[in-house]
Amino acid sequence: MTNTSAQRAAAMLAEDLLLQVLAGKKTATCMPLAKLTAAGTPIPEPGKRDVVLDGDGVPACTVETVAVMTCRFDEVTEEFARAEGEPSLDAWRIAQSRHFARNGGFTPAMKLVCEEFKVVEMLGVYKNT
C-alpha cells in the first residue's frame, strides 16, 4: 500500500511531536471539547495513562495525565502554550487556529480541554533514548 502525501505528513508530524515529548519540550496538549463530546470520549482525568506512538505507529512511551482544565481558546495562557511546545502564546494561537480550522472548525470562543502530562515509561526501541 502506497502512503499518500497526507499520510506522510501526518507521520512526520507525529514523529516531530514525539521528539518534543521525549525531549521534555512538550508536556501538554489540547483538543476541542465538542470533538470529545461528539465522539462520546470522556474528558481525561489525572492518572490516566496513554501510549504515544511514533510516526510509524510504533509505541514509544507512556504518558500520564497530571492536570486537566477546560477553557475557551482565547483564554489559553502563555504558560500552557509553552507547555505545548510553542515558543509563545501568539505562535500557539496561529498554529492551533489553523489546525482546528482544517480539522472541524475554529472560533476564538471554542471550548478546549487542556491536558498536562508527564512521560512515565519509555517503550521498545525508545527505552535507551
Side-chain angles (χ1 to χ4, degrees), residues 31 36 41-48 50 65 67-69 113-115:
M31 66 234 52
L36 289 177
T41 304
I43 292 175
E45 295 182 3
K48 175 181 170 277
D50 290 296
T65 301
V68 179
M69 70 172 193
V113 175
C114 299
E115 178 181 6

Side-chain angles (χ1 to χ4, degrees), residues 24-35:
K25 294 179 181 177
K26 181 172 176 60
T27 59
T29 191
C30 68
M31 66 234 52
L33 176 61
K35 190 171 186 175

Side-chain angles (χ1 to χ4, degrees), residues 52-93:
V52 179
L53 307 177
D54 68 13
D56 294 322
V58 175
C61 67
T62 302
V63 295
E64 182 178 311
T65 301
V66 295
V68 179
M69 70 172 193
T70 303
C71 68
R72 289 169 40 127
F73 177 92
D74 56 10
E75 296 171 339
V76 168
T77 65
E78 178 86 25
E79 179 183 29
F80 186 82
R82 289 185 185 276
E84 271 228 67
E86 294 293 343
S88 68
L89 179 57
D90 286 340
W92 180 89
R93 286 181 174 158

